[in-house]
Amino acid sequence: MENLYQPLQSKVLDVITETPTIKTLVLKPPQEIPFKAGQFMQLTIAGIGEAPFTPSSSQYDLNTMEITILKAGHLTEAVHELKPGDWVGLRGPFGKGYPMEKFEGKEILVVGGGVGLAPLRALLYALFHNIEKYKRISIKYGARNPSELSFRNQYHKWAKLPNVDFECTVDRANGNWDGKVGLVTELLENTGIDLTNSFAVSCGPEIMLKFVTLKLLNVGFQPGQIYLSMNRKMSCGMGICGRCNIGPYYLCKDGPDMNYAKIQQYPDVFG
Ligand SMILES: Cc1cc2nc3c(=O)[nH]c(=O)nc-3n(C[C@H](O)[C@H](O)[C@H](O)COP(=O)(O)OP(=O)(O)OC[C@H]3O[C@@H](n4cnc5c(N)ncnc54)[C@H](O)[C@@H]3O)c2cc1C
């Protein structure tokens, strides 16, 4: 985008209900907005406000942009009221995006929690687009209960791709759930991942990121092999307002996906 302060009016083409608390907006911006997986947008609803969200769609399909949003408060409640034909503003992309070139030739462990699978879906699409470049893509996903599992109709398609495996778990079972019950960290115990040739990438609530990081370190990952999506409160998106820094890093500009080795010494990493 030429002017990063100017939101582009984008039409809501569709609203997909993913779970009782999560919806995906399918948006049609007036022009293509090129982005890299992991970069984020600032989404505005006129008269309500603006907040950061990471596209959940593919960087290789710029015809529409999908953004998957958990109902959390003021703005996101308004997002959940949107209907096809409504308009939102989009500005961005901001942030660095995942270091895809570093991931080449590696085994990639992708660990999501709740709506955290949304930003990771853009990463998965980018990995799948050049799937032959990666040795293995192992996806571990946890949600509060079975009805809170996002993108449920895609898991079997992902798991059928070469060298891709998918496993999910829920904190509490309900209905006719016969899958795993337990925290996502339990899926990290026996992954069979080659620790000498891998990266782990995680996105989810801060408390989950903390325990995923501790578990990854515990099973033998080095801090430099771990990337965390630091979804803190952000405002400007450009490293100006100073609301999102950890040590010398502005998460909006230097992240939001941060290598744990860079930030581990700062006391406020996990909030
Ligand atoms: C880079 C980035 C990417 C993000 N991507 C997504 C995404 O793809 N999908 C998605 O659903 N959400 C995403 N978020 C979180 C999203 O921005 C917040 O949920 C949103 O700002 C809440 O706005 P609100 O007005 O509805 O809530 P508010 O009324 O402002 O707050 C409601 C509650 O949510 C908490 N909250 C507000 N902002 C955040 C935040 N950034 N992180 C954690 N808690 C927060 C508040 O402290 C409060 O408890 C992302 C955040 C960042 C920084």
Side-chain angles (χ1 to χ4, degrees), residues 22-23 38-41 48 50-56 67-78 115-116 118-119 203 206 230-234 251-252 255-256:
I22 299 173
K23 287 187 178 181
Q39 286 190 301
F40 68 94
M41 304 297 297
I48 308 269
E50 184 183 67
F53 301 96
T54 308
S56 57
I67 301 189
T68 301
I69 298 179
L70 171 75
K71 198 197 274 192
H74 190 55
L75 180 94
T76 50
E77 272 165 22
V115 76
C203 183
E206 236 160 35
M230 307 302 292
N231 288 348
R232 291 283 180 81
K233 286 214 163 199
M234 287 180 190
L251 296 175
C252 65

Side-chain angles (χ1 to χ4, degrees), residues 28-267:
K28 180 77 183 166
Q31 65 195 56
E32 289 188 350
I33 304 179
F35 70 96
K36 284 172 63 186
Q39 286 190 301
F40 68 94
M41 304 297 297
Q42 291 281 9
L43 181 145
T44 316
I45 300 187
I48 308 269
E50 184 183 67
F53 301 96
T54 308
S56 57
S57 53
S58 171
Q59 66 188 72
Y60 297 105
D61 178 6
L62 298 177
N63 187 35
T64 56
M65 178 180 280
E66 293 180 24
I67 301 189
T68 301
I69 298 179
L70 171 75
K71 198 197 274 192
H74 190 55
L75 180 94
T76 50
E77 272 165 22
V79 164
H80 276 237
E81 296 301 313
L82 290 169
K83 302 275 175 295
D86 289 340
W87 295 83
V88 297
L90 286 178
R91 57 185 193 98
F94 300 104
K96 281 211 156 88
Y98 289 105
M100 301 304 293
E101 55 305 326
K102 265 180 98 169
F103 293 170
E104 288 180 16
K106 307 286 182 197
E107 301 194 14
I108 310 298
L109 176 62
V110 178
V111 188
V115 76
L117 190 60
L120 292 174
R121 190 171 71 163
L123 170 66
L124 291 174
Y125 286 146
L127 293 168
F128 297 162
H129 189 80
N130 291 303
I131 200 159
E132 67 294 339
K133 289 190 177 167
Y134 310 99
K135 276 195 85 179
R136 175 178 167 193
I137 301 162
S138 184
I139 309 160
K140 310 289 183 190
Y141 178 44
R144 259 181 268 153
N145 58 57
S147 48
E148 284 300 332
L149 289 162
S150 306
F151 315 129
R152 217 166 151 172
N153 61 354
Q154 292 193 280
Y155 307 159
H156 68 285
K157 290 184 209 149
W158 296 347
K160 272 194 202 153
L161 295 168
N163 301 321
V164 177
D165 53 88
F166 178 91
E167 207 177 4
C168 68
T169 181
V170 295
D171 299 354
R172 284 178 306 282
N174 61 21
N176 55 1
W177 177 254
D178 62 356
K180 284 197 162 45
V181 179
L183 299 177
V184 71
T185 43
E186 290 171 32
L187 303 181
L188 305 178
E189 263 153 32
N190 296 301
T191 56
I193 295 267
D194 175 3
L195 289 172
T196 63
N197 191 37
S198 55
F199 283 104
V201 182
S202 188
C203 183
E206 236 160 35
I207 187 76
M208 175 213 135
L209 287 185
K210 177 178 176 176
F211 286 102
V212 163
T213 303
L214 292 175
K215 175 62 83 176
L216 290 171
L217 294 171
N218 184 258
V219 300
F221 279 85
Q222 297 301 310
Q225 290 175 284
I226 302 172
Y227 281 86
L228 303 175
S229 289
M230 307 302 292
N231 288 348
R232 291 283 180 81
K233 286 214 163 199
M234 287 180 190
S235 186
C236 69
M238 291 175 251
I240 297 168
C241 74
R243 285 183 62 182
C244 66
N245 52 313
I246 289 188
Y249 301 109
Y250 287 92
L251 296 175
C252 65
K253 187 164 68 75
D254 302 313
D257 310 296
M258 294 296 295
N259 188 291
Y260 184 58
K262 279 189 169 179
I263 54 175
Q264 61 177 333
Q265 79 259 40
Y266 300 107

